[in-house]
Amino acid sequence: MSKVELYAAIRRDHRVGMTMRELERKYNVAWRTVRKALNSAWPEPRKPLPPRPSALDPYKSVIDRILRADLDAPRKQRHTVTRIFHRLVEEHGADVSYPMVRRYVADRKPQIVVEAGKAPIWSPGWPPPCGPGP
């Protein structure tokens, strides 16, 4: 039963004449919940949770440094995501997963290229570049 349905049932039974204590026992809720249901038809919205820190947070600067260094490296000498992951584990003792590193690199790499001025700024509203014109 959702909270909205619970509140509606409590209000309905209270109109029939059930006491607060009977409502508490019937629906297995605390007196505060019964009081809130009687005062308002809608439950208060949930509070948003604060963002949790990621296991990757301490190593983001290291990954950014590697990606910035790769901007000047020849194409065949650039780091792959696999190589970045192995460097984090071997050199820094990182306890992170490969998909976590892959997602971060996929999000961060285009941003670093734009910050370095090596690519035009692209936003999702714009049409993507389509190669040479006619």
Side-chain angles (χ1 to χ4, degrees):
M1 171 184 301
S2 72
K3 218 170 196 183
V4 174
E5 294 168 345
L6 174 68
Y7 275 33
I10 289 174
R11 292 169 68 87
R12 184 176 49 249
D13 287 345
H14 183 70
R15 277 193 301 267
V16 171
M18 288 181 75
T19 65
M20 283 187 55
R21 190 159 308 239
E22 291 171 335
L23 292 170
E24 292 170 27
R25 287 192 195 110
K26 179 177 180 181
Y27 294 106
N28 195 25
V29 293
W31 66 270
R32 284 189 179 96
T33 306
V34 173
R35 176 63 56 205
K36 286 179 185 177
L38 296 177
N39 288 337
S40 172
W42 296 100
E44 50 193 49
R46 286 185 156 192
K47 296 175 187 172
L49 295 174
R52 291 188 330 190
S54 166
L56 193 62
D57 284 345
Y59 307 105
K60 287 182 177 179
S61 61
V62 175
I63 295 172
D64 288 351
R65 229 177 305 125
I66 291 171
L67 293 175
R68 283 192 185 95
D70 280 351
L71 291 174
D72 299 327
R75 190 175 67 81
K76 295 294 246 176
Q77 294 179 5
R78 295 181 191 152
H79 288 80
T80 62
V81 176
T82 305
R83 183 66 187 125
I84 293 172
F85 170 71
H86 287 301
R87 278 190 64 183
L88 286 176
V89 171
E90 293 166 4
E91 296 175 11
H92 301 280
D95 185 26
V96 295
S97 67
Y98 175 78
M100 188 183 299
V101 175
R102 185 183 66 220
R103 277 191 301 271
Y104 180 74
V105 170
D107 289 342
R108 193 69 178 116
K109 199 173 198 176
Q111 295 172 357
I112 289 177
V113 171
V114 168
E115 288 170 5
K118 301 214 177 198
I121 299 172
W122 181 82
S123 69
W126 294 2
C130 299

